[in-house]
Amino acid sequence: MPAFEYEALDERGRKSKGLITADSEYAARRELRSRSMAPLSLRSAENRQVARSGDGESLMDRLRAQDLSSRELMLITRQMSSLIGAGMPVAETLGLLAEQGARHHMKRVLLAVRGRVSEGARLSEAMQGFPRSFPAVYRAMVAAGEQAGGLDAVLARLADYLEKEEAVKNRITGALVYPVVLSVVALGVVALLMTFVVPKIAEQFTGMGMELPMLTQIMIGLSAALLVSWPFILAGLGALVVVTVLALRQTAIRTMFDGFLVRLPLLGGFLRQVEAARFARTMGILIESGSVLPEALGAASRASGNLAFRAKVETVRASVETGRGLSDALQASRWFPSLMLFMVAAGERSGALGEMFRRAADQMEQEIDGAVTVGLNLLEPGIILALGGVVVVIVLSILLPILQLNTLALG
């Protein structure tokens, strides 16, 4: 049954908004009137088109049209897995989750998906109306579970996958809080020294007519330039950010940029490992759910945010479709680690390709976790050393003239 978002006046003339399910817009309006409410507007919960002629969607409507967050999707997936595994039909499961949904946009999405399922669409097809809430790889995994008759098991694997990603994201975010705060405070101290302390010291020394050390002259020049040009610097940085964001929206430029990142020393190897682990995890879930290999490769490529990696996987897919072995095609891409290639080859020979992909993902994720731990442990002292060095240079530029005065006085 379709879902509609409504705006109506109650008996006291107060404006209220909410969600209602009905067979049609006419039936929804009739249901609202039966509740002693005067409907002002209706819009489909799926496409958010205003039903009342002549009405456009306001800015606040667009702001409220949120998509499911990664955490919300994780929770919904886990709950769907449990309820469907207990024998509850998909439509009833979605309706129950919508009733329990704490946020308006979550109810909107779930009710719209339930409406399409009630009309006879499969769950994966119903989710296509919300591509940003349910990514392509997510829908592909759900479709594979529906075809294999094990939707609850696939949803359970998906929930495990999403929970792992959420845990890693939360861990990295939590570990970066202190270094970020430290960096902001240190940069604030540097800015304070350069804009207030150094100019005051410069006034004192220049009035004495003494020859200042080279380091002090450089700091005074930088301070003067910063005081004069800081609005232009901020504007330039803002323009650079805007231009960069707009440029990276171009597919060709984004592909070149992603390819450049993965070729960088240290960082490039880590990024390749991350993409390979995500690829292996996705392939393991899809193949164990019953997806055929070319479709699994296509979905796994869409799961990546790195366009250079997507191009590599699409090349692998084209090679597999011509009859080449998967392990050989992956090796020719020169992206994946040797351990994963060995395990994929073993999986092809034994017929347990999905399991081998899953084991390879487990191994690579352990290595990534270790690398993240080491990197975060080194980040904090690195920031302290770098910004501490800047502060030392500034303080030294102030102390050198004072020491020079003391030497002249003693002489």
Side-chain angles (χ1 to χ4, degrees):
M1 188 176 294
F4 297 90
E5 290 183 279
Y6 67 84
E7 185 175 341
L9 296 177
D10 61 15
E11 294 177 328
R12 298 181 179 180
R14 293 178 302 187
K15 187 180 295 186
S16 63
K17 299 177 182 180
L19 284 163
I20 188 173
T21 55
D23 293 329
S24 63
E25 178 189 337
Y26 175 77
R29 291 181 180 274
R30 185 174 59 187
E31 175 65 22
L32 288 173
R33 292 190 181 96
S34 69
R35 300 179 186 179
S36 300
M37 301 178 72
L40 298 176
S41 65
L42 283 174
R43 58 176 67 88
S44 170
E46 180 175 350
N47 54 28
R48 299 190 60 81
Q49 295 297 319
V50 178
R52 190 175 57 183
S53 62
D55 262 353
E57 194 172 32
S58 67
L59 176 61
M60 291 305 298
D61 286 331
R62 290 195 295 269
L63 291 175
R64 285 192 293 265
Q66 303 175 41
D67 301 300
L68 296 179
S69 66
S70 58
R71 180 171 179 79
E72 289 170 340
L73 182 60
M74 175 190 70
L75 295 174
I76 289 172
T77 304
R78 177 64 69 190
Q79 292 169 342
M80 282 197 299
S81 170
S82 301
L83 294 173
I84 293 175
M88 182 177 288
V90 175
E92 291 184 17
T93 297
L94 293 168
L96 179 60
L97 294 180
E99 292 176 3
Q100 296 177 348
R103 297 182 180 274
H104 178 78
H105 68 274
M106 184 187 298
K107 294 181 181 180
R108 173 180 63 84
V109 171
L110 292 175
L111 286 177
V113 173
R114 189 194 70 167
R116 295 195 61 186
V117 170
S118 300
E119 293 171 356
R122 294 192 305 174
L123 179 60
S124 56
E125 296 172 346
M127 289 177 174
Q128 290 179 2
F130 297 89
R132 293 195 299 178
S133 293
F134 305 101
V137 65
Y138 186 98
R139 301 195 305 271
M141 292 180 186
V142 171
E146 289 173 323
Q147 292 172 359
L151 180 59
D152 57 331
V154 171
L155 289 172
R157 295 193 192 104
L158 264 173
D160 292 338
Y161 173 72
L162 294 173
E163 286 170 0
K164 286 183 178 180
E165 283 201 335
E166 187 71 16
V168 172
K169 185 189 302 181
N170 291 338
R171 179 169 171 269
I172 294 176
T173 302
L176 286 176
V177 169
Y178 179 70
V180 169
V181 173
L182 179 65
S183 300
V184 171
V185 172
L187 289 174
V189 171
V190 171
L192 184 65
L193 290 173
M194 293 295 291
T195 55
F196 290 97
V197 178
V198 173
K200 296 295 184 183
I201 298 297
E203 291 177 5
Q204 300 296 325
F205 291 138
T206 53
M208 296 178 182
M210 62 179 294
E211 184 178 353
L212 299 177
M214 180 59 67
L215 180 60
T216 306
Q217 295 179 29
I218 293 174
M219 286 297 108
I220 291 174
L222 289 176
S223 176
L226 184 61
L227 286 172
V228 173
S229 60
W230 69 265
F232 304 101
I233 295 174
L234 290 180
L237 290 175
L240 179 62
V241 170
V242 171
V243 170
T244 302
V245 170
L246 294 177
L248 290 179
R249 289 182 179 179
Q250 306 297 320
T251 303
I253 296 176
R254 175 69 182 276
T255 303
M256 293 173 56
F257 179 74
D258 289 344
F260 168 75
L261 287 181
V262 299
R263 288 192 294 270
L264 292 174
L266 299 179
L267 178 62
F270 176 76
L271 293 177
R272 288 195 298 272
Q273 187 86 344
V274 170
E275 293 296 339
R278 182 183 289 116
F279 170 82
R281 178 68 62 190
T282 305
M283 289 292 293
I285 295 175
L286 287 169
I287 292 175
E288 289 184 332
S289 302
S291 287
V292 295
L293 191 55
E295 292 180 0
L297 287 169
S301 69
R302 293 191 294 271
S304 172
N306 188 298
L307 297 188
F309 180 75
R310 286 189 186 183
K312 290 285 186 181
V313 177
E314 289 299 327
T315 303
V316 170
R317 179 184 181 183
S319 298
V320 169
E321 288 177 339
T322 60
R324 191 175 187 180
L326 177 59
S327 58
D328 293 336
L330 292 175
Q331 186 173 11
S333 69
R334 297 183 179 180
W335 186 293
F336 302 94
S338 301
L339 176 63
M340 176 181 165
L341 296 175
F342 174 79
M343 297 182 76
V344 170
E348 286 182 305
R349 292 193 298 268
S350 63
L353 186 58
E355 180 183 356
M356 287 301 179
F357 265 122
R358 181 162 44 82
R359 291 185 179 183
D362 291 337
Q363 180 66 33
M364 287 186 290
E365 285 170 358
Q366 290 179 4
E367 295 176 0
I368 291 169
D369 188 64
V372 169
T373 301
V374 173
L376 292 176
N377 288 337
L378 293 176
L379 180 62
E380 181 181 332
I383 293 174
I384 293 175
L385 288 175
L387 296 177
V390 174
V391 173
V392 166
V393 170
I394 296 174
V395 172
L396 187 61
S397 69
I398 297 172
L399 291 178
L400 284 178
I402 298 174
L403 294 175
Q404 184 176 335
L405 283 174
N406 290 336
T407 302
L408 293 174
L410 292 175

